[in-house]
Amino acid sequence: MRSFDKSAFWATGLMLFALFFGAGNLIFPAMLGQRAGEHVFAAMSGFLLTGVGLPLLGIISVGYAGVRDAQSLAARVSPTYGLVFTLLLYLTIGPLFAMPRTATVSFEIGIVPFLPSGTQPAVPLALFSLFFFALSCWLALSPGKLVSRIGKVLTPLLLFCIAVLVGAAALFPSGALQTAHEAYVLHPATTGMIDGYNTMDGIVSPIFAVIVLEAVQGFGVHGRRQVLRMVAFSGLLAVICLALVYVFIAYLGASSVAGVGLQENGAAVLAQTANFYFGSAGKGLLAVIVFLACLTTSVGLICACAEYFNRLLPQLPYRSLAVLFAVTACVFANYGLSGIIKLSLPVLMLLYPLSIVLVLLTFLHPLFGGSRRVYIWTIAATAAAGLLDAVRQAVGFSPETVGTISRWLPLFEIQLGWVMPAAIAFVTGIMLRRFGGAAGQGGKTE
């Protein structure tokens, strides 16, 4: 390709945006806005690092490394690590957390606002999740282009709906930005960065990168330099669109407290804000749009997970795996949206540092000659510190315990305790490779 193909650029960039964009990309900025209040823009600066910056780097890293998929990238540490890490990624974005969340977000936005006052949500949630995943599974098993056709209509509709809500909030704010809450008072940027983990876009980006690479090559773009250039610019377009949505939705959440009060989660923020500005019609429109967004996301996740595990275990048919994942997601959906977020955060506190470090090592790969020893040392140190952060998130540490650990592990108090161990291990690995002779070289990854 001698010149930059603008049609391929726009098509690939918007396709990638559609892959990333789901209901989770709406609910977490809205919740951040409510909690951050007057510190909303400081909090968003951190959120954009992990919610936008990391997905972009993840997309580019696969093209830069010239590998075929996420497992091949992680296998630079070791083949076993590549397999385990990729399994965890697929289970996290699939039946355990991201997939159940599609049903619970739809339920919170589309059903809960219409339930009679005082209704316990357990039974309605069980019935809705059963219907939702039965439909998702049927679509995932059905051939044809139904989902892609819905998606082509869905994304503009969803963005239009959000633009109307944000426009109303900007033109007619329900009140001034309120005082920040919880960790947003002292550490808005780092708290926002941890919130960005919840989108799961950072850990799913290497998986989406494979789809993007195939799409770029399908447009007739060939050659490593040309493909990488197209992937990078398309990825940049996608994340700029994401960033704009995040900032506007966060502002909507921050300005909504005076009108709708503090809500339990971002889905409730959107639903109550739609009702505040547009009444039942607003709630109904938002419910339909978010349901379709969640449905297509759910179908895509079922397909991606079933295809991966079918490649991994060919003796298990794709159809059986699709049904298995749909049933599993249906069970986990009954924990409710807040419950799923609480369950997923410890896992994300471990996976995100590992993903960040793997992406950084990919770009630094030429610096240390691809030495496997450097990969192993850095990932091992990151995993140890990340596991401590995950345990803290799961069981809760007292302020005294956090203070004690922070004296030995810098940045632990702001949930970034993995940074220093990873940096030290990286330098140690390089030193061992350089001065350790043949033994210090380790195995090279390529």
Side-chain angles (χ1 to χ4, degrees), residues 117-423:
S117 179
T119 302
Q120 294 298 316
V123 173
L125 175 58
L127 294 174
F128 178 82
S129 59
L130 183 62
F131 161 76
F132 183 90
F133 284 110
L135 180 58
S136 297
C137 187
W138 177 73
L139 289 172
L141 295 175
S142 302
K145 299 181 179 179
L146 177 60
V147 175
S148 63
R149 288 169 182 166
I150 292 176
K152 289 176 182 177
V153 177
L154 168 67
T155 300
L157 265 179
L158 184 56
L159 289 176
F160 174 77
C161 178
I162 297 305
V164 170
L165 278 176
V166 170
L171 293 173
F172 310 104
S174 59
L177 302 184
Q178 305 294 300
T179 303
H181 293 263
E182 302 163 357
Y184 295 102
V185 177
L186 297 177
H187 307 291
T190 52
T191 304
M193 192 173 80
I194 301 302
D195 285 341
Y197 289 179
N198 281 310
T199 66
M200 300 191 192
D201 287 341
I203 60 175
V204 79
S205 58
I207 295 170
F208 285 166
V210 179
I211 301 173
V212 175
L213 287 170
E214 292 176 352
V216 166
Q217 292 166 355
F219 280 108
V221 181
H222 299 289
R224 183 173 177 178
R225 183 184 295 271
Q226 288 80 6
V227 168
L228 179 59
R229 183 180 180 220
M230 181 62 71
V231 167
F233 279 102
S234 299
L236 185 61
L237 172 62
V239 299
I240 286 174
C241 293
L242 280 177
L244 289 173
V245 172
Y246 288 154
V247 171
F248 289 142
I249 293 297
Y251 178 76
L252 179 148
S255 63
S256 71
V257 178
V260 304
L262 282 174
Q263 299 295 316
E264 184 181 7
N265 53 61
V269 174
L270 291 173
Q272 292 300 323
T273 303
N275 183 57
F276 179 83
Y277 286 108
F278 303 108
S280 297
K283 289 193 298 184
L285 177 62
L286 186 63
V288 171
I289 297 300
V290 172
F291 174 79
L292 289 175
C294 291
L295 181 65
T296 53
T297 300
S298 174
V299 173
L301 292 175
I302 290 174
C303 292
C305 291
E307 287 172 357
Y308 172 73
F309 280 90
N310 178 244
R311 291 198 309 271
L312 196 64
L313 302 167
Q315 65 271 27
L316 297 179
Y318 168 87
R319 297 176 67 87
S320 299
L321 287 167
V323 172
L324 173 63
F325 291 139
V327 170
T328 305
C330 183
V331 172
F332 274 85
N334 284 277
Y335 280 94
L337 180 58
S338 298
I340 291 171
I341 294 171
K342 185 177 180 180
L343 285 173
S344 65
L345 198 50
V347 178
L348 296 178
M349 292 300 295
L350 174 61
L351 287 182
Y352 255 94
L354 292 173
S355 299
I356 293 170
V357 169
L358 181 61
V359 167
L360 292 177
L361 288 174
T362 299
F363 290 110
L364 295 173
H365 186 90
L367 178 66
F368 55 88
S371 170
R372 180 159 285 159
R373 175 166 291 181
V374 176
Y375 276 97
I376 292 174
W377 273 76
T378 311
I379 290 293
T382 305
L387 187 60
L388 188 59
D389 272 326
V391 172
R392 173 188 175 186
Q393 190 67 48
V395 303
F397 287 170
S398 67
E400 294 76 15
T401 302
V402 172
T404 300
I405 297 175
S406 297
R407 284 195 290 271
W408 296 93
L409 190 61
L411 304 180
F412 181 76
E413 70 276 8
I414 57 174
Q415 297 179 299
L416 294 174
W418 57 271
V419 172
M420 193 61 68

